[in-house]
Amino acid sequence: MVPVTAPLEWEYAPSRESAAIVSLKPRYGLFIDGKFRAPLSKKYFPTINPATEEDLAEVGEAGAKDVDRAVSAARRAFVEDWSVLPGKERAKFLFRIARMVQERSRELAVLESMDGGKPIRESRDVDLPLVAAHFFYYAGWADKLEYAFPGMRPEPVGVAGQVIPWNFPLMMLAWKLAPALAAGNTVVLKPAETTPLSALHFAELAAEAGLPPGVINIITGAGATGSALVSHPDVDKVAFTGSTSVGKLIRNQLAGSGKRLTLELGGKAAHVIFEDAPIDQAIEGVINGIFFNQGHVCCAGSRLFVQESIHDRFVDKLKRRLSTLRVGDPLDKNTDVGAINSAEQLARITELVESGQEEGAEIYQPECVLPRNGFWFVPTLFTGVSQSHRIAQEEIFGPVLSIMSFRTPDEAVEKANNTPYGLSAGVWTQKGSRILWMADQLQAGVVWANTYNKFDPASPFGGYKESGFGREGGRHGLLPYLKGIGL
Ligand code: NDP
């Protein structure tokens, strides 16, 4: 018999989503002109599950000739089919795709977690619903472009070359494809090397939806494939989401080419907590802000500024909350923090965390048993961080929070804006006038008030400074894909 005084020890029972819902092919070709085709390069590379390091499948590596083939298919489809199709007919395809995403959302969510390492709770409850929502939203615009830009004659730009990262593979695909297609453009899209599978399954779905061949082309490969795509002379518009360093390269590469360009790059968001904030809700907001998707989020609230009067209490509560986070199997529905996306990203996070310790910040990591295989990082806090530390300046893109303090609203603004980035920020206070003042002062494309990481297809998202330019989402998201509207 267990003595009544014994501490209560219990664990959640595993609640694993079955991977059987996904049927993986051993090998995937490139999706060009409505069909999967073997790469002309004859090369393939493996994509692995970062939680187990097991191979999931092989995917084709698109070389220059494959890129050329995909761009030609997109051009032909643009001229012959998509740009001449009435808006209301384009809308029907987008609505159909949105509904098919909903129908297959469980399969796609599992696949996303297997290939990328994110917890199934997030891919199921955040990524997939937002993917469908983006297609529904932009389907609604396809036949209303004249109303969106009254008195103008909006016309599609042509062939869009789109390069996306590994942190939200299917969501980034939706952010890129939906506005481009609604506006009448055709697309060649390159997913990231480590997370190509959901885009390839999406390609199957688009073919099943009866989309004319060539309207969407998905080519897989590494950075060289992305580079060949954005610099292809027959691409009219480039959209890139990824690191600031690659964004700069692309901007240099495209200078003088006349191509349109939008860049959604890195971030180092300030999350500002005033002493009158609802503390427990703010703790949840901070946790969501930095540990959502293992911190692999361009708008992650990675710099926390807490007003000095509540700093110690806040940090204590945060530490306690950190110790309740469950790190492990991404397919387990109880998991809060999944696997780091790749060995390279794990090495980058580790190096930056070591720099934080070397530069004198104080580290806190809760006790945590990590799985034996795969790539993992314990949720981490740093206190005693100064503005000049690398962990306060550089994008870590992992589950690591740098905490600093401030005394006055002016000081909070000055510190929050002390970054080369300007993508997002969060403010917690019960004072409405302070929220508006802060939103006005903070150099960030998005400012969340008393919440964090809220996304809606109707709301524009994008950066200032080294976080890039151009907006995705909302009516603004159509602008880069239209001409004849004064741009
Ligand atoms: P990259 O910027 O290298 O990757 C983003 C996409 O660009 C991928 O599809 C990548 O292909 C492709 N790419 C790489 N080089 C080129 C090129 N020269 N021309 C065209 N496309 C290219 O990000 P990483 O994956 O290397 O991540 C590095 C760091 O970038 C992270 O630690 C993080 O700090 C930041 N990052 C920020 C993101 C954001 O949303 N703000 C997203 C991803 C990363 P491939 O995958 O094959 O390399």
Side-chain angles (χ1 to χ4, degrees), residues 400-415:
V400 182
L401 180 65
S402 302
I403 307 177
M404 290 160 273
S405 65
F406 67 93
R407 286 185 183 164
T408 63
D410 283 327
E411 189 188 349
V413 166
E414 203 169 309
K415 286 180 163 172

Side-chain angles (χ1 to χ4, degrees), residues 278-313:
I279 301 291
D280 292 328
Q281 286 94 322
I283 294 279
E284 290 310 307
V286 169
I287 293 283
N288 172 268
I290 186 64
F291 300 115
F292 173 59
N293 201 28
Q294 295 73 249
H296 300 330
V297 186
C298 48
C299 52
S302 52
R303 288 181 302 147
L304 180 66
F305 295 97
V306 186
Q307 198 153 21
E308 203 175 78
S309 50
I310 58 162
H311 175 273
D312 293 353
R313 186 155 69 97

Side-chain angles (χ1 to χ4, degrees), residues 23-25 27-28 31 34 36 100 104 107-108 111 197-211 216 218:
S23 33
L24 285 172
K25 298 191 184 95
R27 187 177 251 202
Y28 292 80
F31 186 75
F36 282 95
M100 289 173 76
R104 288 176 62 175
E107 168 207 337
L108 291 167
L111 179 61
L197 293 180
S198 54
L200 294 168
H201 280 232
F202 178 89
E204 281 172 4
L205 180 152
E208 275 172 39
L211 201 68
I216 294 175
I218 311 278

